[in-house]
Amino acid sequence: MKRFVGFIKKEFYHILRDYRSLLILIGMPVVQILIFGFAISNDIKDAKIAILDNSKDEITQKLTQKILSSGYFILEKNISGTGDIENSFKQGKVKQVIIFENDFGKKLKKEGRASVQIISDASDPNTANILVNYTNAIISSFQMEMMKSQVIPFQIIPEVKLFYNPEMKSVFMFIPGTITLLLMLVSAMMTSISIAREKELGTMEVLLVSPLKPIQIIAGKVVPYILLSFINAVTILLLGYFVFNMPFNGSLTLLLSECLLFLIVALSLGIFISTFANNQLTAMIASMLGLMLPTILLSGFIFPIENMPGWLQVICNITPAKWFLIIIKSIMLKGIGLKYIIKENLVLIGMIMFFIAMSVKKFKVRLE
Amino acid sequence: MHSDLTPSPSALRPLRSTPSIKVENISKNYDKVVALDNISFEINKGELFGFIGPDGAGKTTLFRILTTLLIPDKGIATVEELDVVKDYKKLRKILGYMPGRFSLYQDLSVEENLKFYATIFNTTIEENYHLIKDIYSQIEPFKKRRAGKLSGGMKQKLALSCAMIHKPEVLILDEPTTGVDAVSRKEFWEMLKKLKESGITIVVSTPYMDEASLCDRVALMQNGKIFSIDRPQNITKQFNRTLIAIRSNQMYKLINDLRGLENTYSVYPFGDFLHYTSKENKINANELFEFLKKNEHKDVEIKEIEANVEDCFIELTKKAEGVQRRA
């Protein structure tokens, strides 16, 4: 035990003396959460549009007013002919053009139907999609208002209610995602690098030719990073709560213990990487490619898993981040207890056992 | 029962004291490269034993096998009667190992490094201070300094202290003096001599031939083979040619001129002189002197000298190569 404590003490010296890395480790979560929270947002407001009103009657005026007062759009300019449409897109300012047909109002009153054309700049498909949806929604609600004066025999009025995130804030998505990403990176990358460093500098040779057991060497490497990553997790949660008003509906104890569980998954992965990485560079690249990309792309953090092709969904299932993201979102936003997330927990525990077993099997008590 | 005709090695053992290190027919390959080729030797208890050979001779591979870090492809090696493969856990407790690369933690201070190695071997600096006192007292004034900021010689002293702190029975040092200045090298060897007095077996490798004479016995190694094991004095006695040191004002021309001579066996630079041997055992210094004078050399100095270990090494490798070529 004294050996083990001595080893951990040494690891802390390494971490604390490399103050640049330490600064990055502690500062990265703060910077990342602020960037994700403020800058990267799927919510669109003040999109610039142009309107080509061929009718210029009372109804088109009213509809235009309604669209512009929604807060999502700003009128960049009124255009007078179809030739200007492409030009305004090419100038790059206008994201969408709305065109009312000739005699829009008259047709609507006489025939009961009139056309409005929505042209979107789909070079950014997500934005285009969102803008079209917004416009559609505004037009249909305008239609409803108009129909109030008339009697229509059948009418279906959908009443939409958004649970857990009524304002659809994307930051609620990013905070769990960032915690996942950072715990994964800090824990897995740092442990694998710090074990690989001993190999690279040749100190592993001396450690191996000592009575230290492999398990003591590995655990000694892991313990300091558990502490460090846990501090990171708490920092992010505090930032989410105080800066972004992220709700905490579930139990804090459960949340923190789940963070700890995921930390151990990440650490065991890091150890596994270090069993085959012989220098710091390999360890870093393996952790970056092997962990960061799947955690961002395949966990449901940014892209919804449901939309992926079947084979990719299978790969998603072996990404630990996917399961942790479900857990953490369930706890924070839905406020549910342990019994609803037993399956996810079991998957994570299974992963820990797998990686530890593989690492123990692969750990070399010799140099080859 | 053992038959009288073929006594097993264990039956022979009681006749003399058990060797500290015993290696039998060890071979080791890395892919197609042969690192060790069927090596056997014994090192006695309390001996200061040197492995001498150029880079790539297989010294480090051999040491890694002895320190349980590598498994030999073939053969048996025991250290203090512990098998390096089977009993590696027990063996690691009694070994002191100093790898070729400086392998201490650069970001820890001198004292922290030593303390760390003491702790992982379940001892303390105070407990074994007497073992390292001579060495450590030299670097103790700098004990708060980071190991990375020490000079080469001080680093080696610290590394040796760390390898000694747990009172090992066998000390294995892989090129401890490589990259260290001449004064520190000398000091280092004096320390090894002192350590030897406490009875531990010390195995050292070095590419510097001049250090060979400081060992009790040396093994000359090249290309994964040992081609001579003996006391340093005996190795130099094996040198049976007349060796001459020559100097003139044009050293480069001197090499070429001597190589052009029909009777020349070997010419190679050695410090300020060239070491020269002839195919005939007797060398007529006057004849040589005249020859050089004719070739416009001035300040010529010729003297007969005793062969040192390096001369023997070159001679022996030359012979070994000759045997290979003939075969």
Side-chain angles (χ1 to χ4, degrees):
Chain A
M1 199 58 206
K2 231 178 94 192
R3 273 179 206 165
F4 186 56
V5 173
F7 196 89
I8 291 178
K9 214 163 127 194
K10 184 210 74 156
E11 286 306 313
F12 270 112
Y13 283 143
H14 287 322
I15 296 173
L16 295 177
R17 296 213 171 143
D18 187 3
Y19 57 92
R20 279 194 203 91
S21 310
L22 187 67
L23 203 69
I24 293 173
L25 282 184
I26 302 281
M28 188 164 70
V30 178
V31 173
Q32 223 165 36
I33 204 79
L34 292 179
I35 290 176
F36 276 133
F38 284 121
I40 306 170
S41 161
N42 286 336
D43 312 330
I44 294 168
K45 46 184 182 183
D46 298 342
K48 289 182 174 153
I49 57 166
I51 289 175
L52 170 52
D53 192 345
N54 290 322
S55 175
K56 292 203 178 67
D57 56 38
E58 193 197 351
I59 292 177
T60 60
Q61 290 291 326
K62 264 192 187 161
L63 187 48
T64 308
Q65 277 308 314
K66 195 170 167 64
I67 290 173
L68 294 181
S69 61
S70 67
Y72 298 121
F73 302 105
I74 285 182
L75 183 64
E76 172 73 15
K77 58 179 172 183
N78 279 302
I79 48 180
S80 46
T82 44
D84 288 344
I85 297 173
E86 210 176 343
N87 272 338
S88 35
F89 277 132
K90 277 181 181 162
Q91 280 164 10
K93 280 188 183 164
V94 169
K95 294 284 171 212
Q96 182 171 279
V97 178
I98 298 171
I99 306 160
F100 296 103
E101 67 171 335
N102 282 329
D103 304 327
F104 185 89
K106 258 187 221 164
K107 270 191 186 164
L108 195 64
K109 276 180 184 153
K110 248 197 207 155
E111 299 166 26
R113 57 190 307 149
S115 300
V116 54
Q117 191 179 19
I118 304 167
I119 302 176
S120 250
D121 175 0
S123 53
D124 179 354
N126 280 333
T127 314
N129 203 4
I130 293 167
L131 289 181
V132 169
N133 284 338
Y134 285 165
T135 322
N136 264 332
I138 295 168
I139 293 175
S140 14
S141 92
F142 181 74
Q143 213 174 327
M144 300 287 271
E145 277 169 29
M146 282 190 55
M147 280 191 292
K148 269 183 195 156
S149 46
Q150 298 157 21
V151 181
I152 293 171
F154 304 109
Q155 203 167 347
I156 299 172
I157 305 172
E159 261 185 53
V160 181
K161 233 182 183 178
L162 295 165
F163 263 40
Y164 309 126
N165 186 1
E167 292 164 74
M168 297 216 276
K169 281 189 188 167
S170 44
V171 69
F172 287 12
M173 188 69 209
F174 283 122
I175 286 178
T178 316
I179 294 182
T180 317
L181 185 63
L182 282 170
L183 290 189
M184 197 71 184
L185 274 190
V186 172
S187 323
M189 196 160 89
M190 294 317 290
T191 33
S192 65
I193 287 180
S194 95
I195 295 179
R197 184 169 50 206
E198 301 256 3
K199 290 192 198 172
E200 197 177 320
L201 295 180
T203 42
M204 195 58 136
E205 252 176 87
V206 185
L207 289 185
L208 287 177
V209 189
S210 79
L212 274 178
K213 295 191 187 80
I215 189 85
Q216 285 174 320
I217 297 179
I218 287 176
K221 286 276 167 198
V222 161
V223 169
Y225 288 106
I226 290 187
L227 201 75
L228 207 62
S229 310
F230 202 69
I231 293 174
N232 272 342
V234 173
T235 316
I236 300 171
L237 290 176
L238 287 176
L239 270 176
Y241 185 71
F242 287 110
V243 181
F244 298 105
N245 301 320
M246 175 103 187
F248 277 75
N249 294 324
S251 131
L252 190 64
T253 328
L254 181 63
L255 183 66
L256 291 180
S257 8
E258 293 289 351
C259 284
L260 210 58
L261 178 72
F262 183 64
L263 252 170
I264 298 171
V265 178
L267 290 169
S268 55
L269 238 170
I271 294 167
F272 178 64
I273 290 174
S274 68
T275 56
F276 58 81
N278 281 325
N279 56 55
Q280 297 180 66
L281 196 66
T282 319
M284 195 160 92
I285 291 174
S287 326
M288 282 285 212
L289 289 182
L291 303 179
M292 195 163 142
L293 291 181
T295 306
I296 296 179
L297 302 178
L298 300 177
S299 63
F301 171 19
I302 293 185
F303 304 110
I305 294 172
E306 293 77 13
N307 295 352
M308 294 178 188
W311 60 270
L312 204 55
Q313 291 194 21
V314 174
I315 298 179
C316 291
N317 283 338
I318 58 170
T319 310
K322 175 199 158 166
W323 304 98
F324 180 63
L325 216 51
I326 297 176
I327 294 176
I328 189 171
K329 276 201 274 184
S330 307
I331 298 175
M332 289 180 83
L333 298 175
K334 298 186 191 165
I336 57 180
L338 185 59
K339 63 178 172 182
Y340 294 99
I341 43 175
I342 284 177
K343 183 180 116 193
E344 286 77 10
N345 273 301
L346 287 179
V347 172
L348 289 184
I349 291 170
M351 285 176 173
I352 295 176
M353 298 204 299
F354 174 76
F355 286 125
I356 296 281
M358 290 296 284
S359 307
V360 169
K361 214 178 138 203
K362 284 199 69 181
F363 186 87
K364 293 164 198 144
V365 291
R366 294 191 168 85
L367 282 180
E368 47 167 20
Chain B
M1 287 292 284
H2 296 296
S3 111
D4 288 331
L5 289 171
T6 52
S8 76
S10 60
L12 282 173
R13 215 169 260 166
L15 293 176
R16 46 182 202 160
S17 75
T18 2
S20 171
I21 296 175
K22 191 172 177 178
V23 167
E24 282 169 43
N25 308 319
I26 288 277
S27 291
K28 176 79 189 170
N29 297 355
Y30 297 112
D31 291 325
K32 278 176 191 158
V33 183
V34 181
L36 290 178
D37 189 3
N38 207 19
I39 276 185
S40 304
F41 60 87
E42 280 181 14
I43 296 174
N44 299 324
K45 280 203 172 122
E47 205 173 9
L48 175 53
F49 194 95
F51 282 90
I52 317 279
D55 291 343
K59 303 186 300 281
T60 299
T61 306
L62 178 63
F63 280 23
R64 284 183 170 164
I65 288 173
L66 293 180
T67 50
T68 75
L69 287 169
L70 289 177
I71 299 176
D73 298 339
K74 223 181 72 197
I76 302 166
T78 55
V79 178
E80 295 294 330
E81 290 179 76
L82 295 168
D83 188 282
V84 295
V85 181
K86 274 179 275 171
D87 308 319
Y88 75 93
K89 278 186 185 159
K90 275 186 206 157
L91 185 50
R92 286 175 181 188
K93 290 200 172 105
I94 60 157
L95 276 180
Y97 174 46
M98 189 172 145
R101 287 181 291 174
F102 175 68
S103 58
L104 297 173
Y105 297 99
Q106 315 254 357
D107 51 345
L108 299 193
S109 71
V110 170
E111 196 181 20
E112 284 160 354
N113 265 300
L114 192 59
K115 217 175 202 165
F116 172 69
Y117 282 105
T119 326
I120 62 172
F121 280 96
N122 252 349
T123 175
T124 56
I125 299 180
E126 293 74 33
E127 199 175 312
N128 286 327
Y129 187 78
H130 61 280
L131 283 173
I132 55 163
K133 190 171 168 271
D134 288 335
I135 315 160
Y136 187 59
S137 58
Q138 296 180 34
I139 46 173
E140 217 169 0
F142 313 102
K143 65 182 181 184
K144 297 281 177 222
R145 195 182 286 188
R146 304 260 165 103
K149 297 223 162 76
L150 292 175
S151 70
M154 291 208 278
K155 277 181 182 171
Q156 294 314 88
K157 282 171 198 160
L158 175 58
L160 184 62
S161 304
C162 290
M164 282 295 302
I165 190 66
H166 62 286
K167 207 179 177 183
E169 289 174 39
V170 179
L171 190 58
I172 296 182
L173 312 170
D174 191 4
E175 301 203 0
T177 52
T178 302
V180 175
D181 68 88
V183 177
S184 299
R185 268 169 61 190
K186 206 168 152 246
E187 281 178 2
F188 195 87
W189 277 93
E190 275 161 17
M191 286 185 296
L192 291 187
K193 287 237 151 126
K194 267 195 182 159
L195 281 178
K196 205 190 85 124
E197 285 163 16
S198 61
I200 56 173
T201 310
I202 304 174
V203 186
V204 189
S205 74
T206 176
Y208 302 121
M209 308 287 169
D210 55 330
E211 291 178 347
S213 54
L214 304 166
C215 303
D216 292 337
R217 282 197 302 155
V218 291
L220 302 186
M221 271 188 96
Q222 191 167 38
N223 298 329
K225 284 191 186 117
I226 294 177
F227 50 83
S228 180
I229 299 182
D230 214 328
R231 298 182 162 276
Q233 311 83 285
N234 293 351
I235 284 190
T236 49
K237 269 183 206 150
Q238 285 173 19
F239 197 86
N240 47 15
R241 288 174 194 279
T242 314
L243 185 68
I244 281 184
I246 308 179
R247 174 159 84 167
S248 87
N249 62 338
Q250 308 173 69
M251 292 303 274
Y252 181 69
K253 190 167 179 298
L254 186 61
I255 294 183
N256 288 334
D257 287 344
L258 288 174
R259 286 208 173 133
L261 272 178
E262 199 190 329
N263 269 337
T264 300
Y265 179 74
S266 70
V267 187
Y268 46 89
F270 201 102
D272 289 342
F273 286 87
L274 295 184
H275 282 190
Y276 171 83
T277 56
S278 158
K279 281 176 190 157
E280 292 158 23
N281 216 358
K282 287 278 172 211
I283 298 176
N284 190 331
N286 287 333
E287 226 170 72
L288 207 58
F289 193 79
E290 288 305 315
F291 165 76
L292 293 177
K293 226 176 175 181
K294 219 165 43 191
N295 281 288
E296 294 163 2
H297 288 278
K298 283 176 190 154
D299 310 329
V300 179
E301 202 180 315
I302 297 180
K303 57 182 179 185
E304 192 173 328
I305 49 165
E306 287 279 310
N308 61 24
V309 176
E310 186 158 359
D311 295 312
C312 302
F313 189 90
I314 293 170
E315 164 76 7
L316 286 167
T317 37
K318 230 178 149 125
K319 265 188 197 160
E321 273 167 18
V323 171
Q324 261 174 1
R325 229 170 271 151
R326 247 173 280 146

